[in-house]
Amino acid sequence: MALAACGRSGNRPLLSSDTHPQDYPTVRAVEHMGELLRQESDGRLDIRIYSGGQLGSERDTLEITSFGGLDLNRVNLAPLNSIEPLTTIPSLPFLFRSTEHLRATLDGEIGDTILDSLVPHHLVGLCYYDSGERCFYNTKRPILRPEDLHGMKIRVPNSDLYVAMTKALGADATPMALAEAYQALVQGVIDGAENNWPSYESGRHFEVAPFYSLTRHVMAPEMLVMSLSRWQKLSDDDKTLVRSAAKRSVLYMRELWDKRVDGARGRLIEAGVKVNEVEDLSAFQALMEPVWERFVISDLQKELVAKTVELGRQMEDGA
Ligand code: GTR
């Protein structure tokens, strides 16, 4: 309510939410975008970030953003999956062959189509940030084959796609907000979860769930969204400024991200995390076929998935 009331003042900073702590690359990228805006608008535009999930889960803050109670929100694509089906595309398991493939897809026409698809949901997609490769981790054992996940309760983000993916692998999928997962691991309510190295580290999940298996099943990126109502209040020049500052923050974030992944991996291995390669991912991939079929339904989704797959093939062939 307080945020909604502030919304009447045209000149206040753009209020932004992030589930991650202040030093996390996503937060620092939006901070950088704020600096660019301040400089380039002579202080007229600015961003104030509420990090560490202060304002609530990604699902809840997205709802607030769509009705204009928050101006900006940095979220993963997962909680957007139930809002707009096109966002399931970059979230599909085993879609991207490499970080280069992911970045080329998001930086091009496919990425733009998905960013623009949020307008009917009262959101404007500004840019994507990297989120690396998500891998399963748990309190019990290394995962080498899908069977090793059987019977485990695995926390997933609030997304039907993640639930279906995890169930297809034979685990018991438990959707919950990221902020609740640490306690759930400690109390044994769940046996594991899945995420990238930096989130595994910053959420301290490694302390309780030390088996980290390199399944690399999802590379769903992060997205920075703006509320449509605040966007519509900007002048055309300011819209250009905001879009451009967001795009430039992506490059800044990518540098931070690559370093953060290396740093987190190194620190956690040093701390005694039991990391294992998964030699044969084909059994995991085969189980994802029905999941793709269930979530890739519309002609536009099919077209974008086909283009993404083709781009990956061309990149690998060096075409
Ligand atoms: C992280 C992502 C967060 C959040 C989280 C989760 O990788 O950066 O935005 O979505 O995963 O699993 O909930």
Side-chain angles (χ1 to χ4, degrees), residues 19-20 24 26 58 74-76 78-79 131 134 155 157 176-178 194-196 199 222:
T19 193
H20 287 303
Y24 202 85
T26 51
E58 293 189 344
R74 195 295 310 160
V75 291
N76 190 265
S131 192
R134 291 178 83 102
R155 176 270 167 180
M176 66 171 72
L178 183 64
E194 44 84 56
N195 223 312
N196 53 44
S199 291
E222 321 286 0

Side-chain angles (χ1 to χ4, degrees), residues 10-151:
N11 264 344
R12 61 155 174 74
L14 301 169
L15 306 180
S16 187
S17 173
D18 199 307
T19 193
H20 287 303
Q22 219 175 351
D23 71 333
Y24 202 85
T26 51
V27 180
R28 292 189 51 202
V30 177
E31 233 168 56
H32 179 71
M33 174 179 164
E35 273 160 35
L36 294 172
L37 286 179
R38 248 191 330 275
Q39 282 161 16
E40 293 168 11
S41 70
D42 293 323
R44 210 167 12 83
L45 294 172
D46 201 352
I47 299 178
R48 183 182 306 148
I49 306 175
Y50 292 87
S51 58
Q54 293 174 60
L55 301 181
S57 69
E58 293 189 344
R59 188 173 58 178
D60 293 347
T61 56
L62 269 175
E63 206 177 315
I64 300 174
T65 314
S66 65
F67 71 66
L70 254 171
D71 305 311
L72 292 170
N73 202 348
R74 195 295 310 160
V75 291
N76 190 265
L77 282 201
L80 285 161
N81 292 168
S82 60
I83 298 177
E84 170 49 53
L86 287 189
T87 64
T88 55
I89 295 170
S91 316
L92 286 172
F94 302 110
L95 173 69
F96 296 110
R97 295 174 180 223
S98 62
T99 304
E100 291 68 36
H101 181 202
L102 166 92
R103 290 176 178 173
T105 305
L106 300 178
D107 291 347
E109 206 187 301
I110 302 169
D112 286 346
T113 306
I114 301 170
L115 285 176
D116 294 345
S117 69
L118 294 174
V119 171
H121 312 289
H122 312 285
L123 296 169
V124 177
L126 292 178
C127 64
Y128 300 96
Y129 296 125
D130 279 24
S131 192
E133 299 162 328
R134 291 178 83 102
C135 297
F136 285 100
Y137 51 86
N138 73 87
T139 56
K140 294 193 155 45
R141 54 180 175 262
I143 305 301
L144 297 165
R145 309 159 308 150
E147 290 74 24
D148 297 324
L149 279 163
H150 287 188

Side-chain angles (χ1 to χ4, degrees), residues 39-314:
Q39 282 161 16
E40 293 168 11
S41 70
D42 293 323
R44 210 167 12 83
L45 294 172
D46 201 352
I47 299 178
R48 183 182 306 148
I49 306 175
Y50 292 87
S51 58
Q54 293 174 60
L55 301 181
S57 69
E58 293 189 344
R59 188 173 58 178
D60 293 347
T61 56
L62 269 175
E63 206 177 315
I64 300 174
T65 314
S66 65
F67 71 66
L70 254 171
D71 305 311
L72 292 170
N73 202 348
R74 195 295 310 160
V75 291
N76 190 265
L77 282 201
L80 285 161
N81 292 168
S82 60
I83 298 177
E84 170 49 53
L86 287 189
T87 64
T88 55
I89 295 170
S91 316
L92 286 172
F94 302 110
L95 173 69
F96 296 110
R97 295 174 180 223
S98 62
T99 304
E100 291 68 36
H101 181 202
L102 166 92
R103 290 176 178 173
T105 305
L106 300 178
D107 291 347
E109 206 187 301
I110 302 169
D112 286 346
T113 306
I114 301 170
L115 285 176
D116 294 345
S117 69
L118 294 174
V119 171
H121 312 289
H122 312 285
L123 296 169
V124 177
L126 292 178
C127 64
Y128 300 96
Y129 296 125
D130 279 24
S131 192
E133 299 162 328
R134 291 178 83 102
C135 297
F136 285 100
Y137 51 86
N138 73 87
T139 56
K140 294 193 155 45
R141 54 180 175 262
I143 305 301
L144 297 165
R145 309 159 308 150
E147 290 74 24
D148 297 324
L149 279 163
H150 287 188
M152 280 201 200
K153 266 191 187 301
I154 300 289
R155 176 270 167 180
V156 291
N158 283 302
S159 153
D160 287 349
L161 171 65
Y162 281 70
V163 171
M165 169 187 79
T166 307
K167 277 191 181 159
L169 293 171
D172 186 354
T174 310
M176 66 171 72
L178 183 64
E180 290 161 27
Y182 179 78
Q183 268 312 314
L185 280 170
V186 171
Q187 291 167 354
V189 174
I190 52 170
D191 303 304
E194 44 84 56
N195 223 312
N196 53 44
W197 282 108
S199 291
Y200 180 49
E201 179 186 38
S202 73
R204 298 184 14 243
H205 295 183
F206 69 96
E207 291 174 3
V208 206
F211 294 97
Y212 192 85
S213 305
L214 297 172
T215 49
R216 305 184 170 104
H217 51 277
V218 163
M219 289 180 75
E222 321 286 0
M223 196 192 269
L224 180 66
V225 296
M226 185 162 184
S227 88
L228 181 65
S229 64
R230 185 68 199 258
W231 176 255
Q232 285 170 335
K233 289 189 190 107
L234 295 176
S235 66
D236 284 350
D237 284 352
D238 283 353
K239 283 182 183 151
T240 308
L241 251 178
V242 168
R243 271 210 194 279
S244 149
K247 292 276 181 215
R248 281 175 285 157
S249 74
V250 173
L251 301 177
Y252 178 81
M253 196 280 185
R254 284 180 184 170
E255 273 178 41
L256 292 179
W257 181 254
D258 291 342
K259 284 190 202 132
R260 181 71 173 229
V261 171
D262 287 349
R265 187 195 297 113
R267 283 187 293 275
L268 295 187
I269 291 174
E270 180 84 0
V273 157
K274 297 167 185 52
V275 48
N276 70 280
E277 275 294 345
V278 181
E279 296 295 331
D280 186 9
L281 281 172
S282 59
F284 292 82
Q285 284 161 344
L287 291 168
M288 293 304 113
E289 258 178 53
V291 178
W292 278 44
E293 267 166 36
R294 179 172 153 201
F295 287 90
V296 182
I297 308 162
S298 70
D299 288 346
L300 183 54
Q301 278 183 313
K302 286 182 186 159
E303 182 193 324
L304 296 181
V305 169
K307 282 186 177 166
T308 306
V309 170
E310 180 53 25
L311 180 62
R313 204 170 289 140
Q314 282 172 9

